[in-house]
């Protein structure tokens, strides 16, 4: 790991040494990835629970940067049941998006690598471990079985192609036996489905001719085109104004029920989570600090960080001079301490907090928290 | 669209008028004057008139006795009637001399431009898609070498290796010694053979810039959100790069290509001189050096017209490749 000199800057020599070591590490991963004709048996796996669409277990995703290794996701485990919505909350840079990009295998390689862990994807008759799935197979899953809605609708569509061509592309790619005419018809249907008025006209338009909300609808149409089993929505409403937000969320929920898929909703907006999610995962600095059903998290938040998040949410009708904010900053991702990452900002520290990272403690069958304050209360409180 | 083009063309005519005037002023202010040289020569002959008398007579003959503005309008008046005058130095009509020399330069320019495009753009794209790999570094080094190598040095190097050592090509000239005895096909091949080294020189020395430009643009496009969307659709890497990214990289490249239009006709002065090719670059240089105002005026105004056309063309192409740009 990076040793810094007195000024806090890396010397050129240090930096060179780090990038050399990084290259050594990433080359091993890249070689593994680049193999051709990987036998299916290598990435076939068994789901722990057949009612889950995806199970993430002990996922470690690191970025090997020139200033050191950033452990963006450091031992994350959660699962998404079929037909349910799971909300992932946390502040910027806590690894929400990286988790979702890991599931899609869309990390910025070669710097970003899944170092260890499993992501089991339920495909009905069989299950794949996405971490080991080679790229050619992954291309059939992406857009087809798992699809993603990105946070920036303004830039998520290619500016030089017509809307129709971009929606057609997904359909034609994953349904090679569909005729051109059918593809077109289905695209128009999809545009209609996501609530675009006059879909025939929009089909022929370019992205810049549409508003942000309309573009996000198009992105959703593309994501839903092949009836995916899992939709990852990475802050789908962040860039939109509030009225459009509500419409988009409503749309997502309706469509999810229609094709019975699951949604992994990534956001830092607790209101959105409360509205949409069945289960909630709270992330902090690349780790899950608390997870449980939406009721448990909202009615009975256990981790000090979750409590802080709840407290910093503005409440309608209550007058305050300034909104609550959690003191301090997120620790530097390059040199993570070995104690609880939240310790330096925590107002509820206990003696044990100086020790190693707290274990996961089950408060109920579904509610877990990683905090020393609950070590003795295991199973006592019920959310 | 039509309205826009008409407006631009009219504006170009106005710009051209002033550009022509500036060029004319500069030509008249050149320290070498063809008339002065002639007058000096004649006055040196035994029993001749004095230098001043010759000056006055020659100035009147060549129409240089008027001031800058009147002189310019005189020139312009002739040009509008389609008369570009005779070249002083070459003593043939300007258009004829231009016609004789420009095609060689154009062929050279066009072929090297073609190779530049088909080498630089793909290499730039490959370098961008494999950023920081060995391929990327190799391409970057080639590009940098191409930018930094002076033409005269690289041309001399090529001559030393391929003309002197290997004797594959002649050292200079456009045709070989046996040219007149060859069949028409053989003559063509002979000329082509003589153009290989100049074209290689031109391509290597000019492709570096375009290569780096393509690489930078491609890198920018590859980091865009819509490329991630394309990948999330499950498209193959090939299609992501050569369909989604390439169309977007094309936008800035088209602007550059519009700007190269005058370059096709302007000739390559240094290369042509080094290989003793009678192209327009070399000819215009000779004309300029001897203060040949009619030829230089024609050549430069022609380039000005091409530059303006190139810009207009780039703007129109811009609207073609980028749907966000609508000309109105």
């Amino acid at each position: 790991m990076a040793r810094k000199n007195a000024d806090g800057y890396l010397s050129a020599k240090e930096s060179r040494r780090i990038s050399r070591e990084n290259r050594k590490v990433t080359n091993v991963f890249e070689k593994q990835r680049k193999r051709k004709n990987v036998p299916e048996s290598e990435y076939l796996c068994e789901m722990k629970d057949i009612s889950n669409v995806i199970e993430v277990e002990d996922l470690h995703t690191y970025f090997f940067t020139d200033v050191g290794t950033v452990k963006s996701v450091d031992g994350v485990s959660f699962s998404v049941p079929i037909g349910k919505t799971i909300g992932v909350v946390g502040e910027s840079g806590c690894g929400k998006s990286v988790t979702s990009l890991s599931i899609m295998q869309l990390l910025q390689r070669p710097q970003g690598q899944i170092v260890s862990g499993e992501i089991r994807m339920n495909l009905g008759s069989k299950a794949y471990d996405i971490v080991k799935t080679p790229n050619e197979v992954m291309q059939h899953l992406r857009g087809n079985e798992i699809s993603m809605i990105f946070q920036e609708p303004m830039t998520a569509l290619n500016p030089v192609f017509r809307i129709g061509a971009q929606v057609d592309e997904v359909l034609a790619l994953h349904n090679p036996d569909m005729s051109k005419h059918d593809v077109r018809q289905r695209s128009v249907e999809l545009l209609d489905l996501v609530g675009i008025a006059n879909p025939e006209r929009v089909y022929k338009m370019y992205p810049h001719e549409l508003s942000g909300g309309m573009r996000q609808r198009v992105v959703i149409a593309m994501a839903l085109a092949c009836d995916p089993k899992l939709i990852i929505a990475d802050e789908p409403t962040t860039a939109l104004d509030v009225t459009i937000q509500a419409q988009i969320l409503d749309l997502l929920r309706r469509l999810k029920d229609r094709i019975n898929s699951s949604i992994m909703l990534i956001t830092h907006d607790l209101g959105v989570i409360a509205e949409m999610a069945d289960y909630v995962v709270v992330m902090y600095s690349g780790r899950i600090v608390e997870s449980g059903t939406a009721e448990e998290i909202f009615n009975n938040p256990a981790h000090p960080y979750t409590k802080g998040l709840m407290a910093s949410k503005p409440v309608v009708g209550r007058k305050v001079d300034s909104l609550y904010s959690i003191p301090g900053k997120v620790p530097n991702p390059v040199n993570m301490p070995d104690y609880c990452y939240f310790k330096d900002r925590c107002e509820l520290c206990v003696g044990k907090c100086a020790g190693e990272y707290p274990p996961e403690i089950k408060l109920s069958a579904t509610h877990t928290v990683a905090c020393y304050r609950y070590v003795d209360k295991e199973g006592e409180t019920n959310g | 669209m039509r309205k826009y083009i008409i407006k631009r063309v009219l504006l170009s005519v106005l710009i051209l008028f002033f550009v022509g005037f500036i060029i004319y002023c500069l030509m008249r202010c050149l320290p070498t004057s063809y008339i002065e040289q002639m007058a000096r020569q004649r006055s040196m002959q035994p029993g001749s008139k004095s230098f001043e008398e010759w000056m006055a007579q020659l100035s009147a003959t060549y129409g240089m006795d008027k001031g800058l503005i009147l002189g310019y309008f005189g020139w312009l008046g002739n040009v509008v009637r389609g008369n570009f005058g005779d070249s002083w130095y070459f003593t043939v009509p300007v258009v004829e001399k231009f016609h004789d020399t420009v095609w060689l330069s154009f062929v050279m320019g066009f072929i090297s431009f073609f190779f530049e495009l088909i080498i630089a753009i793909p290499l730039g794209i490959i370098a961008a898609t494999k950023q920081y790999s060995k391929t990327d570094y190799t391409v970057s080094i080639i590009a940098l070498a191409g930018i930094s190598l002076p033409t005269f040095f690289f041309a001399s190097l090529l001559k030393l290796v391929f003309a002197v050592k290997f004797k594959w090509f002649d050292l200079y000239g456009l045709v070989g010694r046996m040219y007149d005895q060859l069949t028409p096909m053989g003559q063509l091949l002979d000329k082509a053979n003589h153009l290989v080294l100049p074209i290689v020189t031109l391509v290597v020395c000019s492709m570096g810039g375009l290569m780096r430009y393509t690489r930078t643009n491609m890198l920018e496009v590859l980091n865009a959100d819509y490329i991630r969307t394309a990948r999330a659709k499950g498209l193959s890497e090939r299609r992501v790069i050569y369909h989604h990214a390439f169309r977007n990289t094309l936008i800035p490249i088209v602007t550059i290509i519009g700007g190269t239009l005058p370059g096709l006709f302007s000739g390559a002065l240094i290369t042509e001189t080094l290989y003793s090719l009678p192209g327009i670059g070399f000819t215009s240089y000779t004309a300029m050096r001897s203060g040949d105002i009619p030829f230089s005026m024609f050549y430069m105004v022609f380039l000005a017209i091409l530059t303006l056309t190139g810009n207009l063309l780039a703007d129109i192409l811009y609207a073609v490749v980028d749907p966000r740009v609508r000309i109105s």
Side-chain angles (χ1 to χ4, degrees):
Chain A
M1 192 57 32
R3 274 188 309 271
K4 300 212 167 164
N5 62 14
D7 313 327
Y9 289 104
L10 280 173
S11 65
K13 205 171 145 199
E14 268 292 285
S15 181
R16 264 201 304 278
R17 188 183 62 81
I18 292 172
S19 41
R20 207 169 34 240
E21 275 168 19
N22 283 346
R23 220 167 310 136
K24 237 182 258 164
V25 177
T26 52
N27 278 348
V28 174
F29 285 113
E30 286 296 295
K31 214 174 239 171
Q32 182 80 9
R33 289 248 95 223
K34 276 191 186 139
R35 285 176 309 152
K36 294 252 156 67
N37 303 321
V38 185
E40 200 185 20
S41 58
E42 227 174 88
Y43 50 89
L44 265 180
C45 65
E46 285 285 316
M47 298 297 289
K48 282 242 170 86
D49 184 348
I50 203 74
S51 65
N52 285 339
V53 63
I54 208 154
E55 288 170 354
V56 177
E57 196 176 314
D58 201 26
L59 179 71
H60 292 260
T61 304
Y62 293 175
F63 284 88
F64 297 91
T65 70
D66 286 356
V67 290
T69 308
V70 177
K71 297 177 178 175
S72 284
V73 175
D74 197 12
V76 161
S77 310
F78 64 92
S79 52
V80 185
I82 293 173
K84 299 284 184 198
T85 301
I86 178 165
V88 181
V89 228
E91 62 200 312
S92 308
C94 72
K96 306 178 303 248
S97 294
V98 175
T99 309
S100 64
L101 289 176
S102 304
I103 295 174
M104 291 290 277
Q105 279 280 21
L106 281 177
L107 291 165
Q108 181 78 41
R109 286 191 297 127
Q111 300 92 327
Q113 298 284 355
I114 300 177
V115 178
S116 65
E118 272 187 25
I119 302 171
R120 293 184 291 270
M121 169 91 201
N122 189 349
L123 297 168
S125 53
K126 54 189 172 183
Y128 280 168
D129 180 2
I130 285 175
V131 176
K132 298 200 189 87
T133 308
N135 224 348
E136 308 99 77
V137 182
M138 207 53 221
Q139 277 165 13
H140 294 293
L141 299 187
R142 273 186 221 138
N144 198 9
E145 306 286 351
I146 327 168
S147 63
M148 192 153 176
I149 299 164
F150 292 102
Q151 53 180 307
E152 268 296 334
M154 300 311 274
T155 51
L157 294 169
N158 196 327
V160 299
F161 297 119
R162 289 176 199 278
I163 299 292
Q166 298 194 42
V167 183
D168 284 354
E169 200 176 25
V170 205
L171 283 166
L173 183 73
H174 296 295
N175 306 291
D177 36 292
M178 249 165 119
S179 75
K180 255 195 172 139
H181 179 76
D182 288 348
V183 167
R184 193 203 141 96
Q185 209 166 16
R186 176 89 180 113
S187 295
V188 175
E189 251 175 59
L190 277 168
L191 292 178
D192 191 41
L193 193 71
V194 294
I196 289 176
N198 204 347
E200 285 281 351
R201 216 170 74 96
V202 171
Y203 183 89
K204 292 199 201 89
M205 278 184 173
Y206 283 102
H208 70 274
E209 294 170 288
L210 301 177
S211 68
M214 292 281 264
R215 284 189 221 184
Q216 193 62 300
R217 283 166 201 266
V218 174
V219 174
I220 293 175
M222 273 168 25
L224 296 173
C226 300
D227 296 349
K229 294 196 166 59
L230 175 68
I231 303 163
I232 301 173
D234 188 354
E235 307 195 18
T237 54
T238 306
L240 304 173
D241 67 70
V242 182
T243 45
I244 306 296
Q245 260 187 35
Q247 288 176 15
I248 294 282
L249 290 176
D250 198 42
L251 175 74
L252 261 180
R253 197 165 30 197
R254 262 190 304 120
L255 294 174
K256 183 204 85 173
D257 292 340
R258 207 175 145 143
I259 57 176
N260 193 30
S261 60
S262 316
I263 296 182
M264 181 176 153
L265 182 68
I266 296 166
T267 181
H268 49 237
D269 187 339
L270 287 167
V272 170
I273 291 283
E275 177 131 341
M276 298 280 292
D278 301 306
Y279 297 95
V280 180
V281 167
V282 184
M283 283 185 74
Y284 185 76
S285 283
R287 288 204 183 213
I288 292 180
V289 291
E290 186 171 4
S291 65
T293 62
E295 290 88 49
E296 282 167 341
I297 300 287
F298 278 92
N299 298 338
N300 199 3
H303 197 279
Y305 178 64
T306 320
K307 285 179 181 163
L309 274 185
M310 300 286 175
S312 52
K313 189 178 63 170
V315 178
V316 178
R318 196 204 299 157
K319 268 203 178 148
V320 283
D321 286 336
S322 62
L323 282 172
Y324 173 79
S325 73
I326 303 174
K329 282 191 305 206
V330 187
N332 178 0
V334 176
N335 273 322
M336 277 304 202
D338 193 31
Y339 48 83
C340 172
Y341 299 156
F342 193 60
K343 178 180 160 259
D344 296 337
R345 302 173 70 183
C346 191
E347 290 164 342
L348 306 164
C349 268
V350 292
K352 270 193 214 157
C353 290
E356 61 180 9
Y357 196 88
E360 275 193 358
I361 295 150
K362 270 199 176 316
L363 297 179
S364 74
T366 47
H367 197 176
T368 57
V369 64
C371 181
Y372 278 115
R373 295 177 65 245
Y374 299 92
V375 167
D376 313 323
K377 298 177 194 162
E378 192 145 358
E380 262 174 38
T381 44
N382 209 337
Chain B
M1 184 79 170
R2 174 182 290 170
K3 217 168 140 191
Y4 173 79
I5 294 176
I6 291 172
K7 206 172 98 187
R8 280 290 299 267
V9 169
L10 289 178
L11 203 67
S12 300
V13 171
L14 191 72
I15 293 173
L16 211 56
F17 173 80
F18 288 107
V19 167
F21 182 64
I22 293 170
I23 297 173
Y24 187 80
C25 292
L26 288 175
M27 285 308 296
R28 285 286 294 264
C29 298
L30 273 188
T32 49
S33 160
Y34 182 75
I35 296 170
E36 229 176 85
Q37 273 177 9
M38 283 264 283
R40 190 159 291 131
Q41 253 176 28
R42 301 251 165 122
S43 62
M44 298 250 231
Q45 279 164 1
S48 171
K49 283 183 269 189
S50 75
F51 175 71
E52 279 75 26
E53 280 168 328
W54 268 118
M55 250 329 251
Q57 189 189 333
L58 286 172
S59 292
T61 330
Y62 285 114
M64 290 295 122
D65 50 349
K66 285 168 270 182
L68 281 179
I69 294 172
L70 276 179
Y72 178 59
F73 277 103
W75 177 83
L76 201 63
N78 282 331
V79 166
V80 171
R81 273 177 251 127
N83 175 20
F84 287 95
D86 291 348
S87 163
W88 296 346
Y89 182 78
F90 302 109
T91 59
V92 287
V94 162
V95 183
E96 195 186 307
K97 184 69 191 169
F98 183 74
H99 181 77
D100 287 345
T101 52
V102 77
W103 294 112
L104 175 65
S105 292
F106 176 73
V107 167
M108 256 170 63
F110 190 78
I111 294 174
S112 55
F113 180 59
F114 176 73
F115 278 112
E116 195 189 319
L117 287 188
I118 62 165
I119 294 173
I121 295 180
L123 277 186
I125 291 174
I126 290 168
T129 52
K130 298 184 176 168
Q131 195 187 8
Y132 302 138
S133 68
K134 287 203 179 81
T135 328
D136 181 26
Y137 287 129
T138 316
V139 169
S140 294
I141 288 170
I142 293 174
L144 219 66
I147 296 170
S148 329
L149 271 181
T151 318
F152 65 87
F153 175 73
F154 187 62
S156 313
L157 211 66
L158 282 180
K159 278 171 152 186
L160 177 70
V161 175
F162 295 104
V164 178
K165 287 259 150 62
F166 291 138
K167 302 209 186 316
W168 290 352
F169 306 104
D170 278 356
L171 210 47
Y172 41 70
L174 179 62
V175 292
R177 231 180 320 163
M178 312 297 281
Y179 183 74
D180 290 333
Q181 278 93 314
L182 291 169
T183 56
M185 192 59 202
Q187 289 186 339
L188 192 74
L189 284 177
D190 187 46
K191 277 190 179 175
N193 184 48
H194 280 83
L195 284 180
V196 170
L197 286 186
I199 287 173
V200 170
T201 314
L202 282 179
V203 170
V204 171
C205 292
S206 61
M207 72 180 178
L210 187 64
M211 210 177 322
R212 286 199 69 80
Y213 194 71
T214 313
R215 178 180 176 271
T216 319
N217 272 306
M218 194 70 187
L219 278 178
E220 205 178 296
V221 169
L222 281 177
N223 281 327
D225 283 355
Y226 50 81
I227 295 301
R228 198 175 51 179
T229 313
R231 290 208 177 104
K233 281 176 176 176
L235 296 172
S236 65
E237 200 60 10
R238 252 190 107 73
R239 185 155 168 94
V240 170
I241 289 165
Y242 292 99
H243 188 68
H244 282 262
F246 184 63
R247 265 301 301 273
N248 283 282
T249 327
L250 214 56
I251 297 168
I253 290 179
V254 154
T255 343
I256 292 265
I257 290 172
T260 53
L261 182 67
L264 291 180
F265 289 92
S266 67
L269 170 62
I270 297 172
T271 315
E272 283 170 17
T273 316
L274 284 167
Y275 290 97
S276 303
L277 297 170
I280 187 69
F282 183 61
T283 312
S284 66
Y285 170 64
T286 319
M288 188 91 66
R289 214 177 39 182
S290 54
D292 185 346
I293 293 181
F295 190 85
S296 300
M297 278 303 286
F298 175 76
Y299 173 68
M300 300 229 259
V301 169
F302 184 70
L303 286 192
I305 293 174
L306 284 182
T307 309
L308 290 168
T309 320
N311 284 346
L312 180 60
L313 215 65
D315 282 355
I316 294 169
L317 279 178
Y318 211 88
V320 172
V321 291
D322 190 351
R324 282 165 296 184
V325 178
R326 278 284 163 261
I327 289 171
S328 53

